[in-house]
Amino acid sequence: MSEQLRRVVQRGLWFEEFDTDVLYEHRPGRTITEADNVLFTAVTMNTQALHLDAAFADAQPPFHQRLVNSMFTLSTLVGLSITQLTQGTIVANLGFSDIAFPKPLFHGDTLYAETVVIEKRESKSRPGEGIVTFAHTGRNQHGDVVATAIRKTLVRKKPD
């Protein structure tokens, strides 16, 4: 029977499929645990006490609790977009800019991601590929913006 079924393989979008007038909402979100934060912080050698030391962080205004490592927030924000946008179609990340963390994430918060394509153009030096610029926004479970980033990527065009 499987020989008669049409196959659909999950992938990101080809260059031609990206539109600049679309808000791509990436679901499901990702609830951030203490273990996630501590592991990422330890693996990346970030010894900031605000991420690792509960007693220290609890005594620090204005939040009085540990903060999720902002680099973990950024990585997860981008990661949440991958299956919908670039899984198997990206060639490379070309750069990040305008990264901001207007509010922190805390253990137990859920991060939701959304993306708008703000620019796309065919590559001048690499036939079969194009440059797509994404504006990523991360929100917590209350809808508060906790992270924003602009990401420029090199994406494959649809094969002939």
Side-chain angles (χ1 to χ4, degrees):
M1 181 170 174
S2 64
E3 296 169 13
Q4 297 173 351
L5 297 177
R6 181 173 64 94
R7 291 182 180 261
V8 176
V9 177
Q10 184 171 335
R11 64 163 171 83
L13 302 176
W14 303 112
F15 174 77
E16 297 86 349
E17 296 175 304
F18 283 106
D19 291 315
T20 56
D21 58 350
V22 175
L23 174 68
Y24 298 93
E25 292 184 343
H26 313 300
R27 298 297 184 266
R30 175 69 157 77
T31 301
I32 309 302
T33 68
E34 176 183 13
D36 296 328
N37 189 43
V38 171
L39 178 62
F40 184 90
T41 298
V43 166
T44 59
M45 300 295 292
N46 180 340
T47 58
Q48 175 52 253
L50 286 172
H51 304 312
L52 294 172
D53 185 331
F56 174 83
D58 289 350
Q60 302 304 309
F63 303 114
H64 298 283
Q65 61 181 305
R66 282 175 289 168
L67 307 178
V68 171
N69 185 317
S70 59
M71 293 298 97
F72 181 69
T73 301
L74 177 63
S75 295
T76 305
L77 171 59
V78 171
L80 287 167
S81 75
I82 299 304
T83 55
Q84 188 175 17
L85 298 181
T86 61
Q87 179 68 47
T89 58
I90 193 171
V91 177
N93 281 318
L94 301 177
F96 288 82
S97 65
D98 301 314
I99 297 167
F101 304 100
K103 291 190 174 192
L105 275 179
F106 303 106
H107 299 159
D109 281 349
T110 300
L111 179 63
Y112 294 96
E114 58 194 45
T115 302
V116 174
V117 175
I118 57 174
E119 183 181 5
K120 68 180 251 188
R121 68 170 178 82
E122 293 187 23
S123 173
K124 295 179 179 101
S125 61
R126 297 179 64 108
E129 297 169 0
I131 297 170
V132 180
T133 304
F134 300 113
H136 295 295
T137 301
R139 297 177 187 276
N140 66 16
Q141 67 274 17
H142 306 294
D144 301 325
V145 175
V146 296
T148 58
I150 303 299
R151 177 171 68 122
K152 192 169 282 207
T153 62
L154 188 61
V155 177
R156 291 182 178 90
K157 290 184 176 180
K158 187 174 184 177
D160 294 329

